[in-house]
Amino acid sequence: MKVWEVHSKEGIEALTLVEKPEPQPKAGQVLLKMRAASLNYRDLLTVKGAYGSKQKLPFVPLSDGVGEVVAVGEGVSRVKVGDRVAGIFMQTWLEGEFSLDKSKSALGGAIDGILAEYVTLDENGVVHVPEHLSDEEAASLPCAAVTAWNALTTDGKLKAGDTVLIQGTGGVSLFALQFGKIMGVKVIATSSSDLKLEKLKQLGASELINYKTTPNWDEKVWQLTNEVGVDRIIEVGGAATFNKSLRAVRYGGYISLIGVLSGFSADVSTVSILHKGITVQGIYVGSRDMFETMNKAIALHGIKPIVDRVFPFEEVRQALEYMESGAHFGKIALRF
């Protein structure tokens, strides 16, 4: 079988296509013939060697994919041959609270990912995906969709009529918009592109802010909310946007800290968190239980993930370069 591996920390060009024997499932495992995968910003960081100094080499990248079960090991009962399933982001986070041990089971980082024609996973580490989704749409769910679902449905649960701010037009932000609409919340969206803002409006965003022409977007949010602030912010920007988010959220509001698109560290106005009673919640994807609950909502409401562009398996380098350009609206997928 063909497998993409990262052999050095020299960037996208270090991705190498190699031939390896097709794996066989052990007891409790399933063998997947992969059909599609999707990219996350994390994948770009891992491939470029920017995801931490402890990254082992070589490794197989990517966490998100969907495949067909073509063989099962002894004792497998959760799935059967012919089922279409996706791997969960952290293979041992099935339910309950997050932990250090669970973090050590993240696909495409702590352990090898799914960028191979055949992959073996523990039967507990896969979930069935909604039938109405294409392979590429289903492949977009494990990281971005579960992250957005976790952010909106766990701590400080939203209620109809609340206001949420999303940043940009990546996968997490668009899923947050789609989930927010079925929950009855008002969504304020930011982007540097008027064309992308128009697409966000078509998807149901109530208010739009171009942060390039309105650099003090936090002040605009304050105005749009009658000087109250939003109930929750889906914070994917990181270093360059966090302090503005502190100013844009309401007293007693929530910031779901998810992304590091603009950097890993910054001077933070801790007094704002204290003075306004803000809850900052770090979100590192979610559990299998969250994934399966989310899938029920996706199926019930017929939600279709936004897939911007599909590349063939052999063009993963080009797909990552496209992600790096920032031109995409939604998810970037690979077809096997």
Coordinates of all heavy atoms in Angstrom, one line a residue, residues 39-48 50-51 143 236 259-264 320 323-324 328 331:
L39 N -8.0 18.1 5.8 CA -6.8 18.8 6.5 C -7.3 19.7 7.6 O -8.4 20.3 7.5 CB -6.1 19.6 5.4 CG -5.5 18.9 4.2 CD1 -4.7 19.8 3.3 CD2 -4.7 17.7 4.6
N40 N -6.5 19.8 8.6 CA -6.6 20.8 9.6 C -5.4 21.6 9.7 O -4.3 21.2 9.3 CB -6.9 20.1 11.0 CG -8.2 19.3 11.0 OD1 -9.3 19.9 10.9 ND2 -8.1 18.0 11.0
Y41 N -5.4 22.8 10.3 CA -4.3 23.6 10.4 C -3.2 22.9 11.2 O -2.0 23.1 11.0 CB -4.6 25.0 11.1 CG -3.5 26.0 11.1 CD1 -3.0 26.6 10.0 CD2 -2.9 26.3 12.4 CE1 -2.0 27.5 10.0 CE2 -1.8 27.2 12.4 CZ -1.4 27.8 11.2 OH -0.4 28.7 11.3
R42 N -3.6 22.1 12.2 CA -2.6 21.3 12.9 C -1.8 20.4 12.0 O -0.6 20.2 12.3 CB -3.4 20.4 13.9 CG -2.6 19.3 14.6 CD -3.5 18.5 15.5 NE -2.9 17.4 16.1 CZ -2.9 16.1 15.7 NH1 -3.5 15.8 14.5 NH2 -2.3 15.2 16.4
D43 N -2.4 19.9 11.0 CA -1.6 19.0 10.0 C -0.5 19.8 9.4 O 0.6 19.3 9.2 CB -2.5 18.4 9.0 CG -3.6 17.6 9.6 OD1 -3.3 16.8 10.5 OD2 -4.8 17.7 9.2
L44 N -0.8 21.0 9.0 CA 0.2 21.9 8.4 C 1.4 22.1 9.4 O 2.6 22.0 9.0 CB -0.4 23.2 8.0 CG 0.5 24.2 7.3 CD1 1.0 23.6 5.9 CD2 -0.2 25.5 7.0
L45 N 1.1 22.3 10.7 CA 2.1 22.6 11.7 C 2.9 21.3 11.9 O 4.2 21.4 12.0 CB 1.4 23.0 13.0 CG 0.7 24.3 13.0 CD1 0.1 24.6 14.4 CD2 1.7 25.5 12.7
T46 N 2.3 20.1 12.0 CA 3.1 18.9 12.2 C 4.0 18.6 11.0 O 5.1 18.2 11.2 CB 2.1 17.7 12.5 OG1 1.3 17.5 11.3 CG2 1.3 17.9 13.7
V47 N 3.5 18.8 9.8 CA 4.3 18.5 8.7 C 5.5 19.4 8.6 O 6.6 19.0 8.2 CB 3.4 18.6 7.4 CG1 4.3 18.6 6.1 CG2 2.5 17.4 7.3
K48 N 5.3 20.7 9.0 CA 6.4 21.7 9.0 C 7.3 21.6 10.2 O 8.2 22.4 10.3 CB 5.8 23.1 8.8 CG 5.1 23.3 7.5 CD 4.5 24.6 7.4 CE 5.5 25.7 7.2 NZ 5.0 27.0 6.9
A50 N 6.5 22.3 13.3 CA 6.2 23.4 14.2 C 5.2 23.1 15.2 O 4.6 24.0 15.9 CB 5.7 24.6 13.3
Y51 N 5.0 21.8 15.5 CA 3.9 21.4 16.4 C 4.5 20.9 17.8 O 3.8 20.5 18.6 CB 3.1 20.3 15.9 CG 1.7 20.1 16.5 CD1 0.8 21.1 16.5 CD2 1.5 18.9 17.3 CE1 -0.5 20.9 17.1 CE2 0.2 18.7 17.9 CZ -0.7 19.7 17.8 OH -1.9 19.6 18.4
C143 N -12.1 16.3 13.7 CA -11.4 17.3 14.4 C -12.2 18.6 14.5 O -12.7 19.0 15.5 CB -10.0 17.6 13.9 SG -9.1 18.9 14.7
V236 N -10.2 31.3 17.4 CA -9.2 30.5 16.6 C -8.0 31.2 16.2 O -7.0 30.7 15.7 CB -9.9 29.9 15.4 CG1 -11.1 29.0 15.7 CG2 -10.3 31.0 14.4
G259 N -7.7 27.9 18.5 CA -6.7 28.0 17.5 C -5.5 28.8 17.9 O -5.5 29.6 18.8
V260 N -4.5 28.7 17.1 CA -3.2 29.5 17.2 C -2.8 30.0 15.9 O -1.6 30.1 15.6 CB -2.1 28.6 17.9 CG1 -2.4 28.3 19.3 CG2 -1.9 27.3 17.1
L261 N -3.8 30.4 15.1 CA -3.4 30.8 13.7 C -2.5 32.0 13.6 O -1.7 32.1 12.7 CB -4.7 31.2 12.9 CG -5.7 30.1 12.8 CD1 -7.0 30.6 12.1 CD2 -5.1 28.9 12.0
S262 N -2.5 32.9 14.7 CA -1.6 34.0 14.6 C -0.5 34.0 15.6 O 0.2 34.9 15.8 CB -2.5 35.3 14.9 OG -3.0 35.3 16.2
G263 N -0.3 32.8 16.2 CA 0.8 32.6 17.2 C 0.4 31.9 18.4 O -0.7 31.7 18.7
F264 N 1.5 31.4 19.1 CA 1.3 30.6 20.3 C 1.2 31.3 21.6 O 0.7 30.8 22.6 CB 2.4 29.5 20.4 CG 2.4 28.5 19.3 CD1 3.1 28.7 18.1 CD2 1.7 27.3 19.5 CE1 3.1 27.7 17.1 CE2 1.6 26.4 18.5 CZ 2.3 26.6 17.3
L320 N -1.8 21.0 1.1 CA -1.3 21.7 2.3 C -0.8 23.1 1.9 O -1.0 24.1 2.7 CB -0.1 20.9 2.9 CG -0.5 19.7 3.7 CD1 0.7 18.8 3.9 CD2 -1.1 20.1 5.0
M323 N -3.9 25.2 1.7 CA -4.3 25.6 3.1 C -3.4 26.7 3.6 O -3.9 27.7 4.2 CB -4.2 24.4 4.0 CG -4.3 24.8 5.5 SD -4.5 23.4 6.6 CE -6.3 23.2 6.6
E324 N -2.1 26.6 3.4 CA -1.2 27.7 3.8 C -1.5 29.0 3.2 O -1.3 30.1 3.8 CB 0.2 27.2 3.6 CG 1.3 28.1 4.3 CD 2.7 27.4 4.2 OE1 3.0 26.8 3.1 OE2 3.5 27.6 5.1
H328 N -8.9 29.2 1.2 CA -10.0 28.3 1.3 C -11.1 28.9 2.1 O -10.9 29.7 3.0 CB -9.5 26.9 1.9 CG -8.9 27.1 3.2 ND1 -7.7 27.7 3.4 CD2 -9.3 26.7 4.5 CE1 -7.4 27.7 4.7 NE2 -8.3 27.1 5.4
K331 N -13.5 23.3 4.5 CA -12.5 22.3 4.6 C -11.9 21.9 3.2 O -12.4 22.1 2.1 CB -13.2 21.0 5.1 CG -13.8 21.1 6.5 CD -12.7 21.4 7.5 CE -11.9 20.1 7.7 NZ -10.9 20.3 8.8

